[in-house]
Amino acid sequence: MIITIDGPAASGKGTLASALSKLYKYAYFDTGMIYRAVGLKAVLEGIDLTDEPKVLEIAKAMTFEKMMALSSHPDFRSDIGGQSASKVSAITSVRAALLKMQQDFALSPVFADGTKAEGVIYDGRDTGTVVCPQADIKLFMVASPEVRAMRRFKEFQAKGIETTYEKVFEDMKARDKRDSERQTAPMKPAVDAIIIDTSDMDPKAEIDYVVSLIESKLK
Ligand code: C5P
């Protein structure tokens, strides 16, 4: 079983993916992490994010191990991490260099401890359109920019990351624009994706709804 969950930042992809992964024991691949890893590594090395050859070199050398090591950096999940991920992800050659690593995960999905999983859940922007167009279930999550910015602002506050709601809102708008207008693999629902608006949706109702979709596929 392959499930793809795409959509903009803070639309509820991660929460849903984690819940489904626990429920069905499917491995979960948060594909944004690889773009965050490439972007953050470039920032830490003082590389200009528009310097394609240098960013591409980092992308080609990216591995799961390096990604996990970078994920503990304080800026991995901050606005800096999000914006730098969005900038490097707009480079066509960088996306191409990171595609196989994402696609290969579905061939033999495993959990972090190496145990085999029965299925895989991808979370990203293009996982239903480019990474896994053959997925069994494709979801595209949406929510109003105000709701998403408030969710992200609260997450940052809980993690002790200093910012303001206004800054989070502006950064999110810039990221949405870049992600949906880029030439390669722009963020958009696959033609056969089910669109879920989580703005006013109760998380439990959302999970129940997706579980019913999975159950009917499994039958
Ligand atoms: O999902 P997350 O916010 O961690 O993603 C960070 C950035 O990585 C996104 O804003 C987007 O630019 C990029 N991304 C992408 N394709 C994916 C996942 C993430 O371009 N499949």
Side-chain angles (χ1 to χ4, degrees):
M1 170 72 75
I2 302 177
I3 302 172
T4 58
I5 311 179
D6 291 305
S11 54
K13 306 184 300 285
T15 311
L16 177 63
S18 299
L20 294 176
S21 148
K22 282 198 194 91
L23 203 60
Y24 287 98
K25 304 202 167 35
Y26 292 165
Y28 168 31
F29 190 172
D30 172 0
T31 62
M33 285 181 71
I34 45 174
Y35 294 100
R36 283 178 186 265
V38 172
L40 183 61
K41 189 156 169 50
V43 168
L44 296 176
E45 290 180 7
I47 291 170
D48 176 347
L49 297 176
T50 60
D51 185 338
E52 181 168 349
K54 290 214 170 112
V55 178
L56 181 58
E57 204 177 303
I58 294 177
K60 282 185 173 164
M62 190 47 68
T63 59
F64 278 102
E65 291 71 25
K66 287 186 195 167
M67 178 183 93
M68 291 317 290
L70 282 156
S71 72
S72 56
H73 189 282
D75 274 325
F76 190 77
R77 290 279 167 203
S78 75
D79 285 340
I80 294 173
Q83 289 292 351
S84 53
S86 173
K87 286 180 188 158
V88 298
S89 77
I91 305 173
T92 301
S93 60
V94 168
R95 298 197 75 84
L98 298 170
L99 186 58
K100 189 170 182 305
M101 177 182 173
Q102 297 173 76
Q103 291 178 326
D104 283 353
F105 191 73
L107 301 177
S108 49
V110 285
F111 292 101
D113 66 1
T115 43
K116 202 171 163 296
E118 293 303 315
V120 58
I121 303 168
Y122 284 95
D123 149 351
R125 302 292 187 287
D126 65 339
T127 65
T129 51
V130 176
V131 178
C132 259
Q134 79 281 20
D136 301 286
I137 297 177
K138 298 180 191 176
L139 306 172
F140 193 88
M141 317 284 284
V142 294
S144 74
E146 291 77 11
V147 166
R148 292 191 288 115
M150 186 49 80
R151 284 180 189 157
R152 192 45 52 93
F153 175 59
K154 286 183 178 162
E155 278 169 29
F156 283 163
Q157 276 190 315
K159 286 182 190 159
I161 297 176
E162 284 225 12
T163 188
T164 60
Y165 168 79
E166 288 71 24
K167 172 144 186 16
V168 174
F169 184 73
E170 288 310 317
D171 281 349
M172 195 168 266
K173 269 205 322 202
R175 198 139 70 91
D176 285 353
K177 186 167 158 45
R178 198 181 301 112
D179 290 350
S180 51
E181 291 180 0
R182 68 180 173 224
Q183 295 223 311
T184 310
M187 171 176 68
K188 63 170 186 202
V191 282
D192 49 349
I194 297 163
I195 298 183
I196 303 180
D197 188 338
T198 66
S199 304
D200 304 310
M201 209 171 190
D202 162 43
K204 167 124 188 13
E206 181 187 313
I207 292 169
D208 288 349
Y209 171 60
V210 179
V211 164
S212 71
L213 295 175
I214 297 173
E215 295 298 327
S216 61
K217 270 277 171 196
L218 286 173
K219 266 182 205 153

